[in-house]
Amino acid sequence: MKNFIYSFLLISLIACAPSNSQETKAGKKVAEKPRDFNDYWYAGEAEITSYKLEQARYGEIHSGEAVLVFVTEPFSKSKQVKLDNWRDESEDNVSVMKLNMTKKFLTGIYPYSMMMSTFTPVSYDQHPDLLKVTTSSQEWCGHTFMQLNLQDGNYRLRGFSYFESEGDIDVTLPNVTLEDELWSRIRFNPENLPIGEIQLVPSTFYLRFRHQEAKPMKATASKLEVHTSEFSDEPHHIYTLEYDNRKLSIYYEPDFPYTILGWEETYMSGFSNPERLTTKAKRINTIKSAYWGKNSNKDRELRKELGLSID
């Protein structure tokens, strides 16, 4: 299944083979989750990380904010929604890692607000495929929505847009790696990330920005270990994808919980005179919080802790 050269850095390739492994149903060896996984991810809180965002759009770089929210939830495998009854003990109850990734930035006079949600089963050996992705984008021209669901072994993609050429779509995509699932795969155990030549459905954010058709592409995936970079003064790892004249590098800590330090994304931006630009997101802060109960005016102090705007 489903390099970036630092002349002043000491870089070494990370070994791909896991030391502790188990068999998936597909017979694929996968590294086990860290011993502290349940203590960290099932403590009744979400992990919230804020990032300073420099977003490429319309051939320029725009400042903004990004947030990654990771939290485990009970999920209905059949309905592919969060279960109301988390005590449901049927086989339909699948524990997932939900990622909500948000981006907010201004382009000239008008704002962009974007959100991508993924629902990835925690038990990779029992449920090796991501179950669902939803992505929306709102700006003054209009809004768009895209959803992928695992159905009958493939992915059903439905998309809705205010652009005539994109229109409303309902298509089936083969079951290959989805770029959007890899963020959660890092958090489970990065030893399980795909390496080498792979088939990949691009990021739904990227498809939105480039107005491209969603379809599998051949990509090259690699992992590196670096001693320092602009994202951290401590040793950390980089997972890189390259395809379609695009390069995505995700920087993350080498030890559990494999916190994502930031990312860089380089591709052609703009339509009349496109330029090859790089989007960057650098971590501001990380907190654990049951944020769903932090909805009063006094809780805005937590946004200050995260370094996010109050208004």
Side-chain angles (χ1 to χ4, degrees), residues 146-149 151 154-159 168-174 213-215:
M146 180 184 297
Q147 179 165 310
L148 294 96
N149 295 89
Q151 284 188 0
N154 292 308
Y155 285 104
R156 181 185 181 186
L157 167 64
R158 283 166 287 179
D168 296 350
I169 60 173
D170 190 344
V171 298
T172 299
L173 300 178
E213 176 188 358
K215 61 182 179 180

Side-chain angles (χ1 to χ4, degrees), residues 1-2 22-30 124 177 192-194:
M1 285 246 359
K2 307 194 240 325
Q22 58 191 9
E23 292 279 349
T24 68
K25 290 182 179 179
K28 185 178 181 180
K29 292 281 186 178
V30 297
Y124 185 87
T177 299
N192 292 325
L193 290 167

Side-chain angles (χ1 to χ4, degrees), residues 8-272:
F8 57 97
L9 299 176
L10 179 61
I11 300 177
S12 60
L13 284 173
I14 299 173
C16 299
S19 54
N20 298 316
S21 63
Q22 58 191 9
E23 292 279 349
T24 68
K25 290 182 179 179
K28 185 178 181 180
K29 292 281 186 178
V30 297
E32 295 176 348
K33 293 182 180 64
R35 189 171 300 174
D36 297 334
F37 187 90
N38 287 351
D39 291 339
Y40 188 85
W41 288 114
Y42 290 96
E45 294 178 314
E47 181 200 83
I48 308 168
T49 304
S50 53
Y51 300 84
K52 178 183 178 181
L53 179 66
E54 298 174 5
Q55 178 66 54
R57 189 69 175 137
Y58 304 123
E60 294 181 320
I61 299 296
H62 308 274
S63 61
E65 300 172 339
V67 176
L68 300 185
V69 181
F70 287 95
V71 63
T72 54
E73 288 184 345
F75 199 72
S76 169
K77 185 171 62 174
S78 60
K79 296 179 181 179
Q80 297 194 5
V81 291
K82 180 181 178 180
L83 281 167
D84 292 333
N85 179 16
W86 59 269
R87 295 183 177 88
D88 184 345
E89 296 182 0
S90 71
E91 292 184 358
D92 190 50
N93 187 348
V94 176
S95 181
V96 300
M97 178 73 76
K98 179 177 72 174
L99 163 62
N100 286 336
M101 174 188 282
T102 66
K103 290 184 175 186
K104 291 191 175 184
F105 57 96
L106 293 173
T107 54
I109 192 175
Y110 63 95
Y112 266 78
S113 179
M114 307 180 73
M115 182 170 179
M116 180 265 288
S117 300
T118 64
F119 303 85
T120 310
V122 174
S123 297
Y124 185 87
D125 56 328
Q126 299 177 32
H127 307 284
D129 302 325
L130 174 142
L131 295 175
K132 182 179 181 180
V133 181
T134 63
T135 296
S136 61
S137 177
Q138 300 84 39
E139 35 94 3
W140 285 3
C141 294
H143 57 223
T144 64
F145 181 79
M146 180 184 297
Q147 179 165 310
L148 294 96
N149 295 89
L150 184 67
Q151 284 188 0
D152 301 323
N154 292 308
Y155 285 104
R156 181 185 181 186
L157 167 64
R158 283 166 287 179
F160 305 90
S161 173
Y162 57 87
F163 289 105
E164 179 184 7
S165 59
E166 296 174 359
D168 296 350
I169 60 173
D170 190 344
V171 298
T172 299
L173 300 178
N175 190 341
V176 300
T177 299
L178 305 182
E179 179 181 326
D180 289 339
E181 74 182 86
L182 298 174
W183 302 84
S184 291
R185 300 288 184 207
I186 290 174
R187 308 309 306 277
F188 293 160
N189 190 330
E191 293 295 330
N192 292 325
L193 290 167
I195 298 297
E197 297 294 322
I198 62 173
Q199 286 291 310
L200 179 86
V201 174
S203 154
T204 48
F205 277 171
Y206 176 67
L207 294 174
R208 172 73 255 137
F209 281 141
R210 299 299 299 161
H211 299 277
Q212 289 190 354
E213 176 188 358
K215 61 182 179 180
M217 295 185 179
K218 183 184 293 186
T220 301
S222 62
K223 286 192 286 185
L224 297 173
E225 180 178 340
V226 300
H227 287 253
T228 185
S229 76
E230 63 179 299
F231 293 88
S232 177
D233 293 331
E234 300 295 328
H236 54 282
H237 295 174
I238 310 170
Y239 183 65
T240 298
L241 295 171
E242 296 181 82
Y243 65 88
D244 192 35
N245 198 28
R246 174 175 181 259
K247 180 178 181 178
L248 170 70
S249 295
I250 305 173
Y251 297 71
Y252 60 93
E253 293 182 341
D255 300 314
F256 182 79
Y258 311 115
T259 302
I260 293 174
L261 301 167
W263 61 92
E264 291 182 314
E265 182 183 8
T266 303
Y267 58 85
M268 299 302 293
S269 175
F271 297 101
S272 57

